[in-house]
Amino acid sequence: MSDQLQKFMFSTAPVRGEIVSLRDTWQEVLARRDYPAPVRALLGEMMAACALLSANLKFDGTLIMQIFGDGPVRMLVVQCNTDLSLRATAKFSDDVASNAIPASATLAELVNAEGQGRCVITLDPSDRQNGQQPYQGIVPLSGVDGPLQSMAEVLEHYMRHSEQLDTRLWLAANTERAVGVLLQKLPGDGGIVPHPGELDADTWNRVCTLGGTLSQDELLQEAPETLFKRLFWQENVQHFEPASARFECSCSREKVGAMLKMLGREEVDSVVEERGHVEIHCEFCNQRYEFDPVDIAQLFVAGLPGSITLPAEQRH
């Protein structure tokens, strides 16, 4: 089962849908970090959701989904580029050990314990020279009825209040896969209808009811094609070419060097004086970049790259 995202459109109504399944992409994330089960599930659901939302971007760039928490998990981040290359990470509170998080911890207990958690989605275009600017939407992790109970509810809340789009999501993740289904009602008449008279005003409610029959076990165990056939076999649907997803981290030695130069020579030299070198650790891919005194001198004098230190498990 390859890592793919399938888009489709209901022909008799302004409703679109997507199904994504991430196996190798998700395994690349898990190979770099050992997350507690509830954090792993939440991050996997975010990863599937990020792919689903980014598939509808109208520009070349990156969708960055962040959850800022006030519980044992301080932040979860997923980035997805237009080409469906993804990376993800989670950070814990300084005073909480990751192995102390109970397996039964809920979303609210993980990131909204004090009611101050929030979801931030940033759309960052690659080409800002042509006038395209980043856009950011922020919503709390609580609705009118209290704390939101799932990642799907959080993102439905976000799309309804920040984008004014009726959206339904079904998400699931385990140690093998991260999967998701999205249905979205488009503004206006939309649809791919041959004649206006063929519009079906009940399509949105009907397909949402069908989607609501999905269980997490079904999402995780069945292939996307099987899920689609079970749900929408009676619907008139147009499919689009599937898109492949993959893990990719955008960190590089050049980017780390540029960051050190922004800190300034005095700040960097103080770290070298204290530790003998500067070591930067990528939170996403677990790559370590090391700069010794000679590297630092070269960096600030001529901008030359220095040496790289691999994670311990990659050393020989």
Side-chain angles (χ1 to χ4, degrees), residues 177 211 223:
R177 297 169 61 204

Side-chain angles (χ1 to χ4, degrees), residues 130-144:
N130 291 330
Q132 289 184 317
Q133 296 299 318
Y135 165 81
Q136 189 174 82
I138 304 174
V139 295
L141 299 185
S142 298
V144 294

Side-chain angles (χ1 to χ4, degrees), residues 24-39:
D24 293 343
T25 308
W26 179 225
Q27 290 300 310
E28 289 280 357
V29 173
L30 296 183
R32 289 162 169 79
R33 289 285 190 280
D34 183 18
Y35 295 115
V39 178

Side-chain angles (χ1 to χ4, degrees), residues 40-114:
R40 181 180 63 231
L42 183 56
L43 190 63
E45 290 180 3
M46 284 180 63
M47 202 166 186
C50 199
L52 291 168
L53 296 182
S54 68
N56 292 315
L57 293 181
K58 303 301 182 184
F59 63 86
D60 182 26
T62 304
L63 188 149
I64 305 165
M65 183 182 296
Q66 297 169 287
I67 297 292
F68 292 98
D70 60 8
V73 178
R74 288 302 183 190
M75 184 169 66
L76 300 107
V77 185
V78 179
Q79 295 182 0
C80 183
N81 297 318
T82 310
D83 62 358
L84 289 187
S85 57
L86 298 109
R87 63 179 188 168
T89 190
K91 291 185 178 181
F92 300 91
S93 175
D94 293 338
D95 58 352
V96 175
S98 61
N99 59 9
I101 297 176
S104 60
T106 64
L107 180 144
E109 292 168 341
L110 290 172
V111 295
N112 201 29
E114 304 296 329

Side-chain angles (χ1 to χ4, degrees), residues 199-216:
L199 277 171
D200 182 358
D202 191 50
T203 296
W204 172 249
N205 291 331
R206 184 173 64 253
V207 297
C208 286
T209 299
L210 291 171
T213 65
L214 283 172
S215 67
Q216 287 220 335

